[in-house]
């Protein structure tokens, strides 16, 4: 359902909270759009485009899969998490909420930031869900990869707001969905986690 229908279906108190959150979300989107960042614009546009269809995550998984042992298991967990997050975001989340994409022209997002505006619903961010799911699953199995992949997931999420195709709330919801997808995939796969052995004294 749309945001308006969601508000209408909620009780008076819940509807008031939803309206306030929607207003904050729009204000944050407008603030990002209005902040001049010429040095970052093209880089974040390229990152957002590179994350289409989880290309970055799948490329990283392919590299990890070449290494035996824990890296290969991390790749498997990461790919399964991406698949689950993508399906949950695109087949369920977007169809249930059906939030309209931001009006990039009204917000005056500079053209140097533009990537193609997707035709799908805005909520949640599928790019963020998939990137977060991959980073979380791989980071649990292979801790040295957690920080760089986590930072990359944050950058991908922010790039979707910066390029004007998502509200911050869409990205936050995508991140939560990504964490849930990773946890589910790890539980189903029973992938052994990294254990830290304390030195004996």
């Amino acid at each position: 359902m749309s945001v308006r229908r969601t508000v209408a279906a909620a009780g008076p108190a819940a509807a008031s909270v939803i309206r306030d959150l929607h207003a904050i979300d729009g204000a944050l989107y407008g603030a990002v759009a209005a902040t001049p960042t010429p040095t970052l614009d093209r880089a974040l546009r390229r990152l957002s485009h590179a994350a289409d269809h989880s290309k970055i995550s799948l490329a990283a998984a392919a590299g990890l899969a070449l290494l035996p042992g824990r890296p290969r298991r991390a790749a498997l967990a990461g790919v399964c998490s991406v698949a689950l997050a993508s399906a949950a975001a695109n087949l369920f989340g977007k169809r249930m909420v059906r939030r309209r994409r931001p009006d990039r022209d009204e917000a005056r997002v500079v053209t140097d930031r533009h990537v193609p505006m997707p035709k799908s619903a805005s909520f949640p961010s599928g790019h963020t869900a998939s990137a977060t799911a991959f980073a979380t699953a791989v980071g649990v199995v292979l801790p040295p990869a957690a920080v760089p992949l986590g930072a990359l997931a944050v950058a991908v999420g922010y790039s979707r707001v910066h390029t004007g195709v998502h509200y911050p709330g869409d990205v936050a919801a995508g991140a939560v969905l990504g964490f849930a997808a990773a946890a589910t995939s790890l539980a189903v796969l029973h992938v052994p986690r990294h254990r830290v052995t304390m030195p004996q004294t």
Side-chain angles (χ1 to χ4, degrees):
M1 62 179 68
S2 66
V3 173
R4 289 184 179 179
R5 290 181 180 179
T6 302
V7 172
S16 180
V17 171
I18 291 173
R19 280 193 295 268
D20 288 350
L21 291 175
H22 185 64
I24 292 171
D25 207 16
L28 290 173
Y29 177 88
V32 171
T35 303
T37 54
T39 304
L40 293 175
D41 289 347
R42 292 186 180 181
L44 288 170
R45 183 190 66 193
R46 290 170 182 167
L47 174 62
S48 182
H49 180 68
D52 288 348
H53 308 296
S54 301
K55 292 193 293 284
I56 298 175
S57 296
L58 295 179
L64 290 172
L66 296 175
L67 304 174
R70 191 173 294 278
R72 189 168 295 169
R73 292 194 294 272
L76 173 62
V79 170
C80 289
S81 297
V82 166
L84 181 57
S86 180
N90 294 297
L91 299 181
F92 296 100
K94 292 181 182 294
R95 293 185 179 184
M96 289 177 61
V97 179
R98 295 186 181 181
R99 186 183 195 185
R100 290 184 179 180
R101 294 279 175 172
D103 189 333
R104 198 161 48 183
D105 293 333
E106 182 180 357
R108 298 182 180 179
V109 178
V110 297
T111 56
D112 275 352
R113 300 184 184 185
H114 284 196
V115 294
M117 181 66 76
K119 296 181 180 179
S120 60
S122 189
F123 184 96
S125 167
H127 284 66
T128 307
S130 295
T132 302
F134 184 79
T136 303
V138 172
V140 168
V141 182
L142 193 66
V147 172
L149 289 179
L152 179 61
V154 170
V156 168
Y158 175 73
S159 75
R160 302 302 284 171
V161 179
H162 195 85
T163 55
V165 297
H166 274 295
Y167 292 102
D170 304 333
V171 170
V176 172
L177 183 58
F179 286 127
T184 302
S185 295
L186 290 169
V188 171
L189 293 173
H190 299 290
V191 178
R193 302 184 181 189
H194 178 77
R195 294 181 179 180
V196 178
T197 302
M198 298 300 292
Q200 296 182 350
T201 56

